[in-house]
């Protein structure tokens, strides 16, 4: 990495001096390829296609993300979420993610309504660069005004800024939340934690914000306490009349677990499991930028996992089966409680005091359940945490339902 960077400086300086002679000058150092740094676009972003010549293998692997096109509708899979998310966009449209090249298309195509540019936070490096240049006010701009001009989905700049190969945290709300703990997080995990996290929009500034400061406050319990202290409401469920929290893809929080220890993950970073090195031929390799399930990467499993996991796919499937079965069972109980609270309010069989207590149980129960349900590994990242979350959800929903028995 260092060597490449020096070459960059070398090239730039020399080009400025005497164009012709330099090419020869740099070429005299035989083993190092010359790296041309492309010109950033109007947002100050060097887009993926501009790195194609410099990093052909990485660029080709990045383009492979487009091959993933199969989508699952969570509403068809789990119809009860229409009740759980009633009153917000996810009850109308909730399909599985497919990959980084689709982020910009997806945010516009969804039937969920968008008002402000904050929704583009994790969809385009051009948005990231705008926020970094102009400040948090960009989040509060009209969605259409910002969106209509953007062209680049999640790409190189989000993780490397314009360096080409160094890891840089470009999403500043993450560095802000981590503070001095940033040194405790592997940069190959922090890169992904920029977007694969639980966040909210600050009610006043509209800025994308993380609900914790310092790793020790990055636990589901502390995050719920944070939201409850703020009386934060993402949406009001119109059936039960409850102010709810909607959790979003908390992979970073789940992988690092309580206190920032990669407990169940043996110290692996996100990139170790989701990128991996591709051996092209003897002595020639590159880091794959096709972000996918480790189970689809046979070379990775053989090189990095099989020494300890004789059958990783079976192990993962067993964890996921248990977790998804519990998610469905508890999801159905949450649906039941939502409807019963609604009915209890409508027919007057529950007092205001009782309703307040029941709504508080429902809010907390669904928060714990959602923290597991919307985490993309379905339990594989941290089966201990997944089952603890489901225990907490179940205990609260059962307590609520008991008052209707
Ligand atoms: C989502 C984050 C992310 C994006 C987007 C991304 N990278 Fe990377 N990149 C990484 C990570 C993480 C590593 C380190 C991987 C490792 O060392 O295992 C890396 C490593 C690299 C390296 C160093 C490889 C080496 O051999 O040390 C280069 C060069 C690179 N990326 C180029 C690019 C280019 C070009 C693009 C856009 C086409 C891009 N990256 C997009 C996260 C990203
Ligand atoms: C700038 C924001 C951003 C960063 C940084 C980022 N991601 Fe993503 N990622 C997304 C978004 C948004 C999606 C959903 C894409 C869609 O619309 O289908 C996604 C989807 C994915 C998916 C596909 C999920 C699926 O269900 O098929 C994988 C795998 C993934 N990311 C892994 C990673 C890894 C590993 C890193 C770090 C090296 C990373 N991401 C960094 C925003 C990001
Ligand atoms: C020890 C390995 C490991 C680490 C570390 C790891 N993951 Fe995963 N991840 C997995 C496994 C296993 C799955 C489940 C894959 C499957 O169901 O096919 C998964 C699933 C995912 C998915 C859903 C992908 C899909 O195709 O459905 C995303 C997104 C993801 N991980 C992101 C991350 C992020 C972000 C990090 C770091 C914060 C991370 N992972 C760290 C092993 C890992
Ligand atoms: C040095 C041995 C070792 C290697 C290498 C290793 N693992 Fe593991 N892994 C473990 C152990 C031990 C556990 C059980 C941890 C526990 O139960 O808390 C585990 C658990 C897991 C889990 C389940 C986590 C959970 O919370 O239930 C996944 C998924 C996983 N590993 C994926 C991977 C992947 C992917 C690789 C290769 C990139 C890999 N592991 C490499 C030792 C290893």
């Amino acid at each position: 990495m260092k060597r490449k960077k020096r070459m960059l400086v070398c090239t730039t300086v020399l080009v400025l001096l005497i164009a012709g002679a330099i090419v020869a000058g740099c070429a005299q150092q035989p083993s190092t390829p010359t790296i041309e740094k492309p010109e950033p676009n109007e947002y100050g972003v060097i887009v993926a296609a501009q790195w194609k010549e410099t990093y052909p293998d990485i660029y080709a692997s990045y383009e492979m993300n487009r091959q993933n096109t199969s989508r699952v509708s969570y509403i068809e899979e789990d119809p009860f979420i229409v009740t759980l998310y009633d009153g917000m966009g996810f009850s109308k449209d909730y399909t599985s993610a497919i990959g980084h090249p689709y982020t910009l298309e997806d945010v516009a195509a969804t039937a969920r309504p968008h008002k402000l540019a904050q929704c583009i936070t994790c969809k385009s490096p051009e948005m990231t660069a705008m926020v970094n240049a102009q400040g948090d006010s960009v989040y509060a701009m009209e969605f259409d005004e910002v969106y209509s001009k953007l062209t680049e989905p999640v790409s190189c700049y989000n993780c490397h800024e314009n360096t080409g190969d160094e890891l840089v945290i470009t999403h500043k709300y993450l560095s802000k939340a981590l503070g001095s703990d940033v040194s405790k997080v592997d940069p190959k995990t922090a890169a992904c934690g920029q977007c694969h996290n639980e966040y909210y929009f600050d009610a006043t500034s509209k800025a994308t914000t993380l609900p914790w400061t310092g790793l020790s406050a990055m636990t589901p319990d502390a995050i719920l306490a944070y939201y409850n202290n703020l009386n934060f409401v993402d949406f009001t469920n119109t059936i039960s009349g409850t102010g709810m929290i909607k959790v979003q893809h908390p992979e970073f929080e789940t992988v690092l677990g309580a206190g920032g220890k990669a407990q169940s993950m043996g110290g692996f970073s996100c990139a170790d499991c989701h990128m991996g090195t591709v051996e092209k031929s003897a002595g020639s390799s590159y880091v794959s930028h096709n972000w996918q399930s480790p189970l689809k990467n046979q070379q990775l499993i053989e090189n990095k996992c099989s020494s300890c996991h004789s059958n990783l796919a079976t192990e993962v499937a067993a964890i996921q089966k248990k977790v998804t079965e519990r998610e469905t069972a508890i999801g159905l109980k949450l649906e039941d409680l939502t409807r019963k609270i609604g009915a209890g309010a409508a027919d007057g069989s529950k007092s205001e005091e009782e309703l307040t207590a029941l709504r508080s149980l429902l809010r907390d129960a669904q928060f714990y359940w959602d923290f597991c349900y919307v985490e993309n590994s379905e339990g594989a990242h941290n089966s201990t945490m997944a089952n603890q979350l489901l225990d907490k959800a179940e205990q609260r929903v059962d307590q609520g339902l008991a008052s209707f028995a």
Side-chain angles (χ1 to χ4, degrees), residues 7 59 73 88 121 166 197 218 229 265 297 302 307 347:
M7 277 314 295
Y59 180 77
S73 162
M88 78 161 332
T121 304
E166 285 172 39
N197 60 35
M218 199 182 70
N229 278 340
M265 300 315 241
N297 190 341
E302 277 160 28
S307 58
D347 66 15

Side-chain angles (χ1 to χ4, degrees), residues 375-396:
E375 207 278 341
N376 276 296
S377 75
E378 291 156 55
H381 283 155
N382 190 340
S383 55
T384 310
M385 185 195 271
N387 282 297
Q388 282 168 352
L389 285 163
L390 293 171
D391 290 345
K392 287 176 185 174
E394 190 159 35
Q395 188 244 324
R396 284 163 181 77

Side-chain angles (χ1 to χ4, degrees), residues 2-3 133 157 244 249 264 272 313 398:
K2 292 254 159 46
R3 198 183 36 164
Y157 179 97
M244 306 293 286
H249 39 72
S264 45
D272 288 332
D398 283 348

Side-chain angles (χ1 to χ4, degrees), residues 55-63 156 160 164 286-290:
Y55 303 114
D57 294 323
I58 289 178
Y59 180 77
S61 68
Y62 170 81
E63 281 293 298
C156 325
H160 299 294
Y286 65 94
V287 176
S288 168
H289 280 57
N290 182 13

Side-chain angles (χ1 to χ4, degrees), residues 165-237:
D165 63 356
E166 285 172 39
L167 290 171
V168 179
I169 298 181
T170 56
H171 294 235
K172 301 303 177 203
Y173 51 81
L174 179 65
S175 352
K176 205 171 146 191
L178 282 170
S180 60
D181 282 352
V182 71
S183 61
K184 294 185 193 156
V185 181
D186 187 329
K188 295 192 292 179
T189 291
C192 316
Q194 299 185 100
C195 303
H196 289 264
N197 60 35
E198 160 60 9
Y199 66 91
Y200 73 105
F201 298 133
D202 182 83
T204 318
S205 72
K206 313 294 178 206
T208 301
T209 312
L210 303 187
W212 49 271
T213 306
L215 283 174
S216 60
M218 199 182 70
T219 65
D221 290 337
I223 291 172
L224 177 60
Y226 177 100
Y227 283 137
N228 284 347
N229 278 340
L230 282 181
N231 282 322
F232 182 79
V233 168
D234 267 313
F235 70 104
T236 298
N237 184 295

Side-chain angles (χ1 to χ4, degrees), residues 68 188-189 192-193 196 251-253 255-256 264-274 291-296 312 316 320 375-378 380-381:
N68 185 12
K188 295 192 292 179
T189 291
C192 316
H196 289 264
E251 281 84 65
F252 185 65
E253 298 81 344
V255 167
L256 292 186
S264 45
M265 300 315 241
F268 287 104
S269 71
C270 313
D272 288 332
C273 290
H274 288 285
W291 296 278
Q292 58 177 348
S293 162
L295 303 180
K296 290 190 184 149
L312 185 64
V316 168
Q320 292 178 332
E375 207 278 341
N376 276 296
S377 75
E378 291 156 55
H381 283 155

